[in-house]
Amino acid sequence: MGPAHAPAFTFLPGVAMSADVFAPVAAHLPDTRSLLVDLPGHGGSRDVPWRSITDTAQAMLDTLPDSVTGIAAVSLGAYVGLTMLALAPDRFQHALLSGIHQGDMPNPRMMRVISWAMAPFITRPFLARRNATAMGVSPDLMEPYVAGAVQTRPRAFARATCDVVAFTPPAGLDRVSTRVLVAAGSKEHRLILDGQSAICAALPHAQACRATGLGHGWPAQDTARFAALLRAHADGADWPEGIEPAHAEQIA
C-alpha cells in the first residue's frame, strides 16, 4: 500500500490477527508505503508453521526489502519486532512497539496450559467477536479481526502465546541504533505498564508512552491516534493529543 518509491513501514499484528487489522492505520498514512505482514500460522501465512519468535524475526529480516525503514508492531508482533532490532541493530530508523512485557510472567506453567486449552476455540467466530468486543476493537475493524482469528492455526496460536509467556528481552539490545518508542494503552495489564521502563533502559534510544484511556488493543480501538503517533515518531515530531509520556515515577 502507498507510493512505490516512498519509505516503508512494516506492520506486525498480534496473535490471532491478520494483517488486515492494520489496513485502516495504513490508510491514514497515504504518503508512505505500508507492508502488512501475516505472521506464521496467521492469515495468508496460516500454512507456514510457527517455530519461534526468533525464527520469525530472522525470516522477516531475510525477506523485507531495503525500502522498509520502520517497524510498527503490537502484542505478538512487538516481540518479533524487538527481536528483529536485536538481530539487526542498525537495520531500521525507527520502531513503534506496543503491548510488550519485559519477561518474568507470573504463573508461566498455568499460562501455557491456558494457551493450549484455548487454542481449539480461538478460530470460532463467536469467541473471536467476544474477544474483539472485550478489547474495544472499533466497529469498522470487527469483521477483519474476526476473519483473522478464524484463519489462525490453533497450533500456531498455542505455540506463539507460549513463546510470549517464556519471553525475555533478547541479547544485543544495547547495540541498537534504532529510535524506539515503547507504547502501551494506559489501561493495559500492570505487567506491560511496569515493563516499559525496563525495555527502554535496555535500548540506547528509546522512549515510553501511553495512549490515554485505552487498553491492549488500542491500535485497533483508535486507528487514527495510532497512525498519528507512528507518523510523529517517524518524523521526530511532537506526539498527538491523547498520548502521554510514561514517566519513571509513574511506572514505578
Side-chain angles (χ1 to χ4, degrees), residues 23 52 99 105 129 131 138-139 158 161 168 202:
S52 70
M105 185 174 286
R129 199 175 301 277
N131 189 46
S138 63
T161 52
T168 56

Side-chain angles (χ1 to χ4, degrees), residues 192-216:
I192 289 174
L193 298 179
D194 292 344
Q196 287 181 280
S197 60
I199 295 170
C200 283
L203 292 158
H205 310 287
Q207 293 176 287
C209 71
R210 295 179 184 172
T212 305
L214 300 178
H216 185 65

Side-chain angles (χ1 to χ4, degrees), residues 96-173:
L96 195 170
L97 309 177
S98 183
I100 183 172
H101 79 294
Q102 85 282 18
D104 298 322
M105 185 174 286
N107 303 313
R109 181 177 298 180
M110 178 62 72
M111 294 300 296
R112 286 191 290 270
V113 170
I114 292 172
S115 295
W116 282 100
M118 288 179 59
F121 305 101
I122 199 65
T123 61
R124 298 187 179 182
F126 173 73
L127 183 61
R129 199 175 301 277
R130 288 192 62 181
N131 189 46
T133 300
M135 289 200 304
V137 170
S138 63
D140 60 315
L141 278 177
M142 182 65 71
E143 293 312 314
Y145 179 92
V146 173
V150 168
Q151 288 181 300
T152 304
R153 293 293 191 191
R155 183 173 178 83
F157 171 86
R159 294 190 66 176
T161 52
C162 285
D163 284 348
V164 168
V165 169
F167 179 80
T168 56
L173 293 180

